[in-house]
Structures are given as C-alpha cells and as structure tokens.
Amino acid sequence: MSNLQSSALARVKPSATLAVTAKARELKRVGRDVIGLGAGEPDFDTPDNVKAAAIAAIQRGETKYTDADGMPELKAAIVAKFARENGLTYDIGQIHVAPGGKTVIYNALVATLSPGDEVIVPAPYWVSYPDMVLLGGGEPVEVVGQEADGFKLRPEVLEAAITPRTKWIILNSPSNPTGAAYTRAELEALAEVLRRHPQVWVLTDDMYEHLTYGDFVYTTMAQVAPDLYDRTLTVNGVSKAYAMTGWRIGYAGGPKPLIDLMRKVASQTTSNPSSISQWAAVEALNGPQDFIAERGKAFERRRDLVVSMLNQATGVRCATPEGAFYVYPSIEGLIGKTTETGVVISDDEVFTTALLDAEGVAVVQGAAFGLSPYFRISYATSEAVLEDGCSRIQRFCASLR
Ligand SMILES: Cc1ncc(COP(=O)(O)O)c(C=O)c1O
C-alpha cells in the first residue's frame, strides 16, 4: 500500500484544529472533565426563521439539483448583501456558491493554480490555506505578521514576498486564529503594493466580517481599492455570521472569468450545495439581521473576559483583537519551565498537550497556524465555561517551575 497516497496529498497534513476537537471529544467519552476551547464554531443555534425556511423548502419539494454553483434566488440574495453591506456591485454571473467557504476557496485555487505558482499566505493563518494551495498544485509562501503589528502583514513584507510566480495573496480579516482585523488604512497600504504587481490576484476571506467589536469599522479590499476589483475574489459565507456551520453554504463574488472557471470545477466535483441549505441561506441573508448585533455583544463580553483572565496567568501575554472569536496569546514567558510531572515546556505543542493532560483544557498550538510560541483559544462558548477554562489555564501556568 506504500504507493496508495497521491503525491499531492502526501504534501498535506490533516487539519490540526479538527484533531484537537476529536481528541477532546475522545477524552470526554472516556469520562474526563474536558473544556474544549479548540473548535471554531459559534455555540449559538441557527436562528428560528432560517430553520423555518429550510422546513418550508422541504415541504415545497425544493429537493432537486440546482445549478452547480448555486441557484439564482440565492445568488440574488448574495448580490444584495454585497451591495448593502460592502458597497460592492456584482451581477448574478459573478457569484459562486459552494458547500462552505472552505470549498469556495478550494475551488478558486484548483481553478487557477499551475505547478510552480506561488500563493502568499500571511501567518498566523487559517490552517487550511497552505494545504489547500498544495492540493491545488501550488506553492504556499508564508510571510509572518508579528505580534507587535497586531499580527498583521506589513506592506514591505508583502512587497518582498512577491515574485513573478506569485498568483494569489490570501487575506483574512478578521483573522482566524488571531482575531486581528485590517483597518481601511492598512488595506490601502497593501493595495498600494499590489498595484505595482498586476499578476497578483487577491483572495479576501471575509468569513468573520460580522464579528468585530467596539468602534471598529469593517471594510474589504475590493471596496477600499476599486481598481483591484478585477482581480479580487471576495469570499464570505453564512457559517459564522448566522451560526450555520453544519448547513455548508459559502459564497464569493469576483470577476466573471474567474467565476466561470470555479463553476467548471464545481460542475465536475461537488455539484450544487444542498438545495435546502441554499433556501435557508436565502432567508439568513434577506431576513431580519438583529441577531448579528445581539450576538456580537455577547462575543465582545467573552473576548474581554478571556483577554483579562489570560493576562493574569503567569508567563502569558494576550493582546486584545478587533474581531472573530479567537485570541492568540503568547507563552514566551513559559518556555523552558517544567510541569509538576517533569515535562519541559519546550514549545507550544508541548504546552497544549501538557495543559490538556493536567487540566483538561483543549486549545490549539500556534505551530499549526505558522507562528510560535503561541496558542489559540476559541471563545465561542459560555462565560461560565470560559471562566472555568481560563482559571484552569491560570492554575496550570502557576504550577510550572
Ligand atoms: C478563516 C476561515 N475561512 C473559512 C472557513 C470555512 O468556513 P466554512 O465552514 O463555511 O467552510 C473557516 C472556518 O473555520 C475559517 O475560519
């Protein structure tokens, strides 16, 4: 069986975040008291109006194939969303719908990458980007956003990473795993660099658009730099904004030639995402939006709680991010210390494993996201659970010698 795995898949590692979730679930199953702060999904339920729309779609018999890249009714709702919320004008022929934002990004990369093409992936990055680039036959080029810059990519770092083979840059704001979000001025500075390199396409992953806090004003690249519209793919979805991770609907707006290529990929692979989920997404986008603001307030309280409690843990330093539902604390102050059972904390992977063993708290090591020594906490869970989890982290850090 040694030649079973394809050479493309052999370059790919399994998702570290799904692995942590699975390990936490397994420990729970065998009776351990585990607090899972690893999973990247809202704990809120899908709104009732969205569920009702799905039930109505089933009862109407909307149970057949749709167009491979989404039905016109959903594309119209997406066109309206981009106009209403982002000031972006697309027509229906410029919209792609697929089973989750993940598939949208994958379709774009598979549709466009040839061997040797480079994709700039700013770290800390969402775990799937580099591996999706590899599966698509391209080469991920990692560049690092430092903690001192709020984990954001500096224009001169972007400039230095671009080569004649650069096909894409992937921007993700607010970010998974850091929660960092780019201001209009920061996007404008990156756009200035991109103007000098017309071969580079821009993929913006706006999945956490609706999760920003305080007075942060959200903007996306095609809106800030209209002259880059013809080479920007604006990716979004209903998973995080409407607590619909299991429904599997993601979408994108972009230039028609690119959208046509992505449709070709979908037509020979997934075909359409579930017709019922598509009708649910129509209701999510066209229906009442007050759910988003209410839930945003709860997330902001959780963020403040977690940041404050982590900064009280010995050796931990945690910045306050602008959005998403993640924080990315540094454990620089713990490297070299020893646990009560004699384990030396040599890196963030050892830290997260020791934390899970000692206190039953599941978090994800920074190494999975391309920047160490850090870890990621997802605060998409109740304040009671977060308080318990952070108290355990404090106790664990205090126990290190
Ligand atoms: C940054 C980012 N992009 C895309 C996705 C994928 O979303 P979906 O569940 O719609 O595939 C996720 C999900 O974790 C994410 O964090």
Side-chain angles (χ1 to χ4, degrees), residues 122-174:
Y125 45 72
W126 179 43
V127 287
S128 297
Y129 299 139
D131 292 304
M132 288 202 283
V133 170
L134 290 169
L135 272 177
E139 301 299 327
V141 175
E142 292 180 19
V143 289
V144 179
Q146 301 294 345
E147 185 183 348
D149 298 318
F151 300 108
K152 291 181 244 187
L153 180 61
R154 293 178 75 101
E156 61 273 23
V157 176
L158 171 61
E159 178 76 65
I162 295 175
T163 76
R165 296 308 307 258
T166 308
K167 188 86 178 237
W168 287 97
I169 167 155
I170 300 181
L171 288 174
N172 173 215
S173 168

Side-chain angles (χ1 to χ4, degrees), residues 33-205:
D33 166 26
V34 172
I35 298 210
L37 303 179
E41 67 180 341
D43 55 324
F44 294 94
D45 198 5
T46 304
D48 285 341
N49 62 311
V50 174
K51 290 183 183 173
I55 293 165
I58 295 174
Q59 283 166 343
R60 281 200 314 277
E62 307 275 7
T63 54
K64 303 285 195 279
Y65 291 130
T66 72
D67 291 344
D69 63 350
M71 59 189 201
E73 294 86 348
L74 177 53
K75 289 184 181 176
I78 294 164
V79 165
K81 177 265 179 252
F82 277 130
R84 180 178 71 235
E85 295 180 349
N86 309 108
L88 289 174
T89 306
Y90 293 111
D91 64 40
I92 279 183
Q94 292 179 277
I95 302 296
H96 182 85
V97 184
K102 204 171 207 170
T103 313
V104 173
I105 297 167
Y106 185 66
N107 288 351
L109 295 172
V110 165
T112 55
L113 291 178
S114 300
D117 283 349
E118 296 170 1
V119 179
I120 297 178
V121 181
Y125 45 72
W126 179 43
V127 287
S128 297
Y129 299 139
D131 292 304
M132 288 202 283
V133 170
L134 290 169
L135 272 177
E139 301 299 327
V141 175
E142 292 180 19
V143 289
V144 179
Q146 301 294 345
E147 185 183 348
D149 298 318
F151 300 108
K152 291 181 244 187
L153 180 61
R154 293 178 75 101
E156 61 273 23
V157 176
L158 171 61
E159 178 76 65
I162 295 175
T163 76
R165 296 308 307 258
T166 308
K167 188 86 178 237
W168 287 97
I169 167 155
I170 300 181
L171 288 174
N172 173 215
S173 168
S175 151
N176 175 3
T178 64
Y182 287 82
T183 63
R184 175 178 277 271
E186 287 163 343
L187 286 180
E188 180 52 49
L190 296 178
E192 202 46 51
V193 174
L194 293 166
R195 282 185 189 112
R196 292 196 282 274
H197 303 279
Q199 83 279 18
V200 182
W201 285 69
V202 186
L203 191 159
T204 72
D205 179 345

